[in-house]
Amino acid sequence: MKEFPLTVKRSIELLGICLVVAILVIGRDIIMPVIMAFFISIMLLPIYRFLRKYKVPESLSIILPILFVLIFIAGIVWFFSAQIGILVDDFPQIKQNVAKHLQSLKEWISDLSGINTNKQEAFLKEKSDDLLSMGGKAASGAAVTLSGVFVFVGLLPIYIYLILFYKDILLRFSFMWFKTDDHPKVKEVVYETESIIKSYLVGLLIQVTYMTILLGGILLLIGIKHALLIGVIFALLNLIPYVGALIGNLIGVLLTLTSSTELWPVITVLGVIAAVQFLDNNILMPRIVGSKVKINALFSILGVFIGGAIAGVSGMFLSLPIIAVMKIIFDRSEQFKQWGVLLGDERPEKSPMTFARFRSKKPIETKSGTVHKKDSDKSKE
């Protein structure tokens, strides 16, 4: 592309981005499980290598980590099933509490706007009928979505097994894609990508654990009903950057309102969530993840919304690690290094408008590829 004019190069880059997004939108049902399986496979690599070190057969070294993941998922499903059972048992009390909250809300609206409660009830009845009619149409779509989730989860173990089994073929393909002179850079990108994804996903796993213990434990000690359910839901939703925490707060408030007629439990839940989240964002998570690749807040938020628009919840969850991998690749490519600058949070010390030396990116140091010899030996096992 060096012989093309600059405008042609940039046009090709933008067309390439549009093409990638179009492929993701069209093939999201196929592509997203593969990407998820790829990230989980990288997280399971240390277990696989440990088992291979002690001469465990290759197939068994792959199957055992996958079984561990399935047991973990089954535990989460069992917990939510048990908590839903408790909610069903408490349904009569929940119904009474919701009725009291609705009555208080109607009286407050009446005092504020002058609309009497009878008109409000008529309006709510009309809208509820509309919602019921829409519910029938949405039910078929929900059934399709549910079946898609089962297909997604069912394909994950198969993809994980095959990616781990054929990892050397994938690596060979990656090297053959580039010139021999670029192989040291490719090798470093592979090592750094593995390190970033492992630290990110393992960090998220640790984050879910301690946030569930902290938030659920504190609320349980205070005496908030459904404390553990609030803790687990918030911890899991917090995996979705920015948006998840907002939804988690909302669900926590709703669960608290349905279990109490007083206001102090809601304020307590919001206060505890804020304190735990502050501790998580500023002290615990930066020390646990310690990522060398940092994405600026603007493209983190954009990535979450674009990922959600393309592939729903899975796209929102995978957006940040995908952007981090893209930044690693862009930083080591002469043709696309400006995109690495755009995604990162490395602000220049002075304005590029005034100081010319801040208009270009400093070259990324690349290693010879021999510094990770131990990891290379392990990957051959």
Side-chain angles (χ1 to χ4, degrees):
M1 286 178 61
K2 291 183 178 179
E3 64 273 12
F4 291 132
L6 184 62
T7 52
V8 176
K9 292 185 196 177
R10 299 297 176 250
S11 299
I12 293 173
E13 289 175 15
L14 293 174
L15 286 173
I17 292 172
C18 294
L19 180 61
V20 169
V21 173
I23 291 172
L24 287 174
V25 172
I26 295 170
R28 59 183 178 271
D29 294 335
I30 298 172
I31 296 172
M32 295 314 294
V34 175
I35 295 176
M36 178 73 81
F38 172 74
F39 286 153
I40 296 175
S41 300
I42 290 179
M43 189 173 64
L44 296 179
L45 265 178
I47 304 174
Y48 166 81
R49 288 169 177 163
F50 175 80
L51 294 173
R52 292 293 292 152
K53 181 180 178 181
Y54 289 96
K55 308 301 181 183
V56 177
E58 186 175 16
S59 296
L60 193 59
S61 299
I62 298 174
I63 292 171
L64 287 177
I66 294 174
L67 285 176
F68 175 77
V69 173
L70 293 177
I71 291 170
F72 177 76
I73 295 174
I76 294 176
V77 173
W78 171 83
F79 173 80
F80 276 108
S81 300
Q83 292 297 317
I84 290 172
I86 294 172
L87 285 174
V88 171
D89 293 338
D90 293 343
F91 185 75
Q93 183 63 42
I94 291 173
K95 189 177 180 180
Q96 292 178 10
N97 293 337
V98 170
K100 290 180 181 178
H101 288 305
L102 286 175
Q103 183 61 34
S104 300
L105 180 64
K106 285 188 286 187
E107 291 175 358
W108 178 77
I109 293 174
S110 180
D111 294 337
L112 187 67
S113 62
I115 302 173
N116 61 48
T117 56
N118 291 330
K119 289 183 178 180
Q120 293 180 43
E121 288 176 0
F123 176 79
L124 288 174
K125 186 177 184 304
E126 180 184 351
K127 295 305 175 185
S128 63
D129 291 339
D130 293 340
L131 286 174
L132 286 174
S133 63
M134 291 172 59
K137 298 178 182 178
S140 58
V144 173
T145 304
L146 190 61
S147 65
V149 170
F150 282 119
V151 171
F152 187 100
V153 175
L155 287 174
L156 271 182
I158 299 172
Y159 286 144
I160 294 170
Y161 180 91
L162 295 175
I163 288 172
L164 288 173
F165 188 78
Y166 292 116
K167 66 184 185 306
D168 289 333
I169 292 178
L170 298 175
L171 286 171
R172 188 179 184 185
F173 168 80
S174 300
F175 281 110
M176 291 177 68
W177 188 274
F178 298 93
K179 297 177 182 178
T180 305
D181 294 341
D182 294 329
H183 283 183
K185 290 184 180 180
V186 176
K187 193 172 183 180
E188 187 182 352
V189 167
V190 171
Y191 282 126
E192 193 166 353
T193 299
E194 179 183 338
S195 174
I196 290 296
I197 293 174
K198 280 196 297 189
S199 65
Y200 181 77
L201 293 180
V202 173
L204 290 184
L205 189 61
I206 297 171
Q207 183 190 36
V208 168
T209 303
Y210 71 66
M211 287 201 74
T212 300
I213 294 172
L214 279 176
L215 184 55
I218 293 172
L219 294 178
L220 193 64
L221 289 174
I222 294 173
I224 302 297
K225 202 168 184 179
H226 309 304
L228 290 178
L229 182 60
I230 293 172
V232 172
I233 288 176
F234 185 85
L236 291 175
L237 287 173
N238 197 52
L239 297 180
I240 302 172
Y242 303 102
V243 180
L246 180 63
I247 300 173
N249 274 279
L250 181 61
I251 292 177
V253 168
L254 291 175
L255 284 173
T256 308
L257 283 173
T258 57
S259 60
S260 174
T261 57
E262 299 178 355
L263 190 60
W264 73 266
V266 176
I267 299 173
T268 302
V269 168
L270 289 175
V272 172
I273 288 176
V276 171
Q277 199 169 13
F278 176 83
L279 183 68
D280 169 62
N281 292 338
N282 296 282
I283 299 175
L284 297 176
M285 199 58 183
R287 294 177 183 272
I288 291 170
V289 175
S291 175
K292 296 179 182 178
V293 177
K294 294 182 179 179
I295 311 301
N296 65 64
L298 173 62
F299 281 90
S300 296
I301 296 172
L302 283 175
V304 169
F305 283 111
I306 293 171
I310 292 173
V313 176
S314 61
M316 298 173 80
F317 170 69
L318 293 172
S319 59
L320 283 192
I322 289 174
I323 293 174
V325 172
M326 290 169 59
K327 187 179 187 310
I328 293 171
I329 297 170
F330 291 155
D331 283 342
R332 283 153 183 80
S333 170
E334 286 298 322
Q335 295 179 358
F336 304 110
K337 60 184 179 182
Q338 66 275 6
W339 293 98
V341 173
L342 185 65
L343 297 176
D345 68 345
E346 301 161 358
R347 297 176 61 194
E349 297 175 8
K350 304 289 184 179
S351 171
M353 295 292 291
T354 308
F355 298 90
R357 68 190 185 94
F358 294 111
R359 295 173 190 168
S360 60
K361 182 176 177 63
K362 294 179 181 179
I364 298 291
E365 294 183 5
T366 56
K367 302 170 187 176
S368 63
T370 60
V371 290
H372 297 282
K373 189 173 185 302
K374 291 182 180 179
D375 292 335
S376 178
D377 293 339
K378 290 179 182 178
S379 65
K380 292 178 182 178
E381 297 177 358

